[in-house]
Amino acid sequence: MTETNPYRVSTHDLGRRPGSMRTVELDVVVTEPMGNEVIVVPAGAEISLDLRLEAVMDGVLVTGSATATAQGECVRCLDPVSRDLTLDVTELFAYPGTQQDTVRDEDDEELPELDGEIADLETTITDAVVLALPFQPLCRPDCPGLCSVCGIRLADAEPGHAHEQLDPRWAALSALRDVVGAADDAQDDGEQDSGSTGAPGTGGRG
Ligand SMILES: [Zn+2]
Ligand SMILES: [Zn+2]
């Protein structure tokens, strides 16, 4: 926890003078993947922050943008998908200890506070990334997905790719054949077993 947190930005220069501002540009290397089960900004990726810090009456307003590239897979065909994200960042960090008076209603969301003169942007950026990511990423909007019978990518298949639908009665017969085949296999195994063990337990009574 004591390691340098790259998301911590000093607001010291602003001196709590409303209207004073400065810009911050920095690249943060992601340490924990950010995202959902199907698409993330992976660990090791960079998030570029282009921010403006402005002192206001109650705190420091951080606005600007963050850009990053997310990696995932298409939920229909499982092809790799990458998404360039551009996120709007807007967060007001309250000066420490100034919120008791203003936050009365439970509806009022408590603002993040400056840690001394430091704005820790990690939660802000993580939330913005997670919100921007799709839950159902697609390689392309009209991705046809995979064939439900043979599993090939329909985008690669010949037009009108389809399988002959078996007559249900034939399907039943085919299933029966599988069962019989399996039984034959089991019988073969059984004979081998009894031959090698001399069938103990068959003449126990008497
Ligand atoms: Zn796809
Ligand atoms: Zn198919």
Side-chain angles (χ1 to χ4, degrees), residues 11-26:
T11 68
H12 175 78
D13 298 349
L14 304 177
R16 289 204 185 194
R17 293 183 304 277
S20 61
M21 63 178 72
R22 77 180 183 101
T23 56
V24 173
E25 283 181 34
L26 80 158

Side-chain angles (χ1 to χ4, degrees), residues 13-121:
D13 298 349
L14 304 177
R16 289 204 185 194
R17 293 183 304 277
S20 61
M21 63 178 72
R22 77 180 183 101
T23 56
V24 173
E25 283 181 34
L26 80 158
D27 293 336
V28 176
V29 176
V30 174
T31 51
E32 296 271 319
M34 294 180 186
N36 55 49
E37 285 175 3
V38 283
I39 188 165
V40 296
V41 175
E46 274 191 356
I47 301 180
S48 297
L49 306 177
D50 187 354
L51 304 173
R52 195 178 74 157
L53 277 52
E54 180 181 359
V56 295
M57 288 302 291
D58 305 322
V60 172
L61 180 63
V62 178
T63 56
S65 65
T67 55
T69 302
Q71 312 283 350
E73 60 185 26
C74 173
V75 292
R76 291 191 196 149
C77 73
L78 310 182
D79 262 14
V81 170
S82 93
R83 282 274 180 287
D84 291 330
L85 306 173
T86 302
L87 315 164
D88 286 329
V89 176
T90 304
E91 191 83 85
L92 177 60
F93 287 86
Y95 292 124
T98 58
Q99 287 194 89
Q100 294 88 329
D101 304 333
T102 52
V103 180
R104 289 275 177 232
D105 292 326
E106 294 205 349
D107 296 344
D108 269 351
E109 234 180 278
E110 205 165 325
L111 298 171
E113 266 187 14
L114 291 176
D115 179 7
E117 295 181 313
I118 303 290
D120 184 343
L121 298 167

Side-chain angles (χ1 to χ4, degrees), residues 146-152 154 157 161-163:
L146 304 175
C147 173
S148 60
V149 178
C150 70
I152 69 163
L154 290 174
H161 172 86
H163 297 265

